[in-house]
Amino acid sequence: MTILVTGGAGFIGSNFVLDWFAGHDEPVVNLDLLTYAGNLQNLQSVATDPRYRFVRGDIGDNDLVARLLRESAPRAVINFAAESHVDRSITGPEAFVQTNMVGTFRLLEAVRHWDGRTPEFRFLHVSTDEVYGTLEPDDPAFSEVSRIAPNSPYSASKAASDHLVRSYFHTYDLPVLISNCSNNYGPFQFPEKLVPLCIHNALAGKALPIYGDGLQIRDWLYVGDHCSALRAVLDRGLPGEVYNVGGGNEKTNLDTVRTICTTLDKEVPRDDGAHYADQMTFVRDRPGHDRRYAVNSAKIQRELGWSPTESFQSGFEKTVQWYLSNRDWTDQVTSGAYRDWVEAQYA
Ligand SMILES: NC(=O)c1ccc[n+]([C@@H]2O[C@H](COP(=O)([O-])OP(=O)(O)OC[C@H]3O[C@@H](n4cnc5c(N)ncnc54)[C@H](O)[C@@H]3O)[C@@H](O)[C@H]2O)c1
């Protein structure tokens, strides 16, 4: 058997592929367009593994996806491919509509029209808690029946894709599963996102930008725990169901950045004896910035027996350590050296 992963060269997708091979012999086909967020270096350790095949391409390319389905006859498609950065969705929403909505639609169509599906086949769509919008301080955490109320072009495009996926279950009997996960952190995250951005800027002596008052709350989950949740959903989830995945770690952005700074103070003290937190700089808030996310994971814990293994403290220490030990990874991504290589490689 084989699984077809899309967007497997991105942050969560590459962690998923590496975790998968740590526990399975089942082959993986990775279909990724290698946008700015995709990085084959993340998967260098498995690049020549006979169980692994990389294909550069678009989930919206019907002919390509149809061919890959015929060739590899996967028992599951796991859709990670997306435009994923809220700030980019504000300055350029079109790419989000194109990949997250149109791309997911075409992927669903290719799967629907593929006649090689076995009864065990599953389509797992990886989505976000951001589709539920924002919470007031005393609201209960998002559950699977919370109202869908996205506030950014990113979350709106993900919500639209979730709706399409759901409709293919009800209309075409496609055995779909949807997971809505909270903010992830861990190795291989593109340094435009809060955690790697702060680590990178702190070490480079640059400002650590904090939007607005920094009191926006996010529910943090270590990426490895997200991967184990996805495996649980794939193995034991019921077709047509939605599973929320969260870390139970509600922290303000200020607290998160302070945790990074104190860990860095311990690991790599600044030469001048000052604290990395001194580099924090408040900047104008993001338009439509959601105030609070919190995810109720009771359903996946109860029905699928999943629970996270990393605490906020242990996960962040591990993550900071990883970025400290892999500075060349961040340097390559930020210097554009990796992008130049991709352009030359696939010219
Ligand atoms: N990062 C988070 O905190 C988080 C939380 C919950 C859910 N999610 C969801 O998980 C998924 C993966 O997120 P991520 O943080 O790894 O994103 P990412 O931006 O790091 O990676 C996205 C990957 O998709 C690829 N891609 C983009 N457009 C494509 C296309 N048209 N065809 C094929 N490949 C394409 C990119 O090259 C990249 O490798 C996304 O769907 C995202 O919405 C992310």
Side-chain angles (χ1 to χ4, degrees):
M1 304 299 262
T2 296
I3 59 164
L4 173 58
V5 163
T6 72
F11 163 47
I12 303 173
S14 58
N15 276 285
F16 182 85
V17 172
L18 295 174
D19 271 19
W20 183 265
F21 284 139
H24 291 74
D25 275 333
E26 202 173 351
V28 172
V29 175
N30 175 14
L31 171 65
D32 195 299
L33 189 56
L34 295 183
T35 67
Y36 78 95
N39 188 343
L40 286 183
Q41 225 186 327
N42 304 359
L43 294 165
Q44 215 169 19
S45 61
V46 297
T48 57
D49 191 311
R51 297 169 298 176
Y52 175 71
R53 176 181 172 202
F54 174 72
V55 178
R56 189 182 191 193
D58 192 330
I59 55 167
D61 181 341
N62 259 106
D63 293 342
L64 172 62
V65 176
R67 178 165 65 76
L68 286 181
L69 290 170
R70 276 197 311 275
E71 283 174 8
S72 58
R75 72 164 170 103
V77 171
I78 308 175
N79 184 29
F80 293 94
E83 289 292 334
S84 70
H85 190 41
V86 176
D87 287 341
R88 285 180 189 256
S89 83
I90 295 168
T91 50
E94 184 149 356
F96 288 72
V97 171
Q98 203 53 47
T99 286
N100 301 357
M101 294 163 64
V102 178
T104 301
F105 160 70
R106 294 213 177 120
L107 186 63
L108 284 164
E109 277 292 273
V111 171
R112 176 165 85 90
H113 290 292
W114 172 46
D115 58 12
R117 272 188 280 129
T118 61
E120 294 75 35
F121 178 83
R122 298 287 182 268
F123 184 100
L124 169 51
H125 181 62
V126 182
S127 192
T128 165
D129 61 349
E130 300 192 28
V131 300
Y132 299 117
T134 190
L135 291 169
E136 295 297 328
D138 296 326
D139 284 347
F142 298 128
S143 79
E144 290 78 1
V145 294
S146 293
R147 192 166 70 100
I148 303 291
N151 291 321
S152 72
Y154 163 65
S155 52
S157 65
K158 289 296 292 186
S161 67
D162 293 8
H163 287 320
L164 270 173
V165 172
R166 175 192 154 89
S167 77
Y168 273 60
F169 173 75
H170 290 280
T171 306
Y172 302 115
D173 275 336
L174 199 71
V176 307
L177 300 148
I178 300 174
S179 63
N180 292 94
C181 187
S182 63
N183 279 52
N184 282 213
Y185 64 96
F188 301 121
Q189 188 167 28
F190 195 79
E192 65 188 355
K193 304 275 170 69
L194 182 69
V195 174
L197 177 83
C198 283
I199 298 172
H200 177 66
N201 281 13
L203 296 173
K206 293 185 186 162
L208 309 180
I210 312 281
Y211 278 134
D213 59 9
L215 298 180
Q216 307 85 358
I217 291 173
R218 300 294 179 258
D219 176 354
W220 292 96
L221 181 73
Y222 186 68
V223 65
D225 283 325
H226 187 186
C227 294
S228 70
L230 293 172
R231 290 195 301 272
V233 172
L234 187 62
D235 286 351
R236 304 186 286 285
L238 281 183
E241 290 293 316
V242 174
Y243 296 92
N244 279 1
V245 185
N249 292 309
E250 282 188 61
K251 303 284 174 198
T252 64
N253 285 348
L254 264 184
D255 281 343
T256 302
V257 176
R258 283 200 192 110
T259 301
I260 294 168
C261 289
T262 39
T263 312
L264 287 173
D265 283 338
K266 256 194 312 188
E267 299 295 333
V268 273
R270 272 174 47 160
D271 292 340
D272 60 5
H275 296 292
Y276 286 101
D278 297 344
Q279 290 168 228
M280 294 197 307
T281 309
F282 290 89
V283 299
R284 193 154 52 101
D285 207 354
R286 166 195 280 167
H289 205 172
D290 289 333
R291 203 64 190 162
R292 175 177 166 235
Y293 303 139
V295 172
N296 178 340
S297 306
K299 179 176 173 181
I300 186 171
Q301 301 210 7
R302 190 180 58 244
E303 296 184 7
L304 307 185
W306 172 84
S307 57
T309 57
E310 296 291 346
S311 68
F312 183 76
Q313 194 62 32
S314 67
F316 265 82
E317 279 174 10
K318 218 165 157 172
T319 300
V320 170
Q321 282 297 349
W322 187 88
Y323 284 96
L324 288 176
S325 311
N326 291 276
R327 287 203 210 183
D328 51 337
W329 182 89
T330 312
D331 288 346
Q332 284 225 17
V333 179
T334 48
S335 73
Y338 173 74
R339 301 305 321 160
D340 294 344
W341 177 82
V342 169
E343 290 317 319
Q345 176 80 2
Y346 293 101

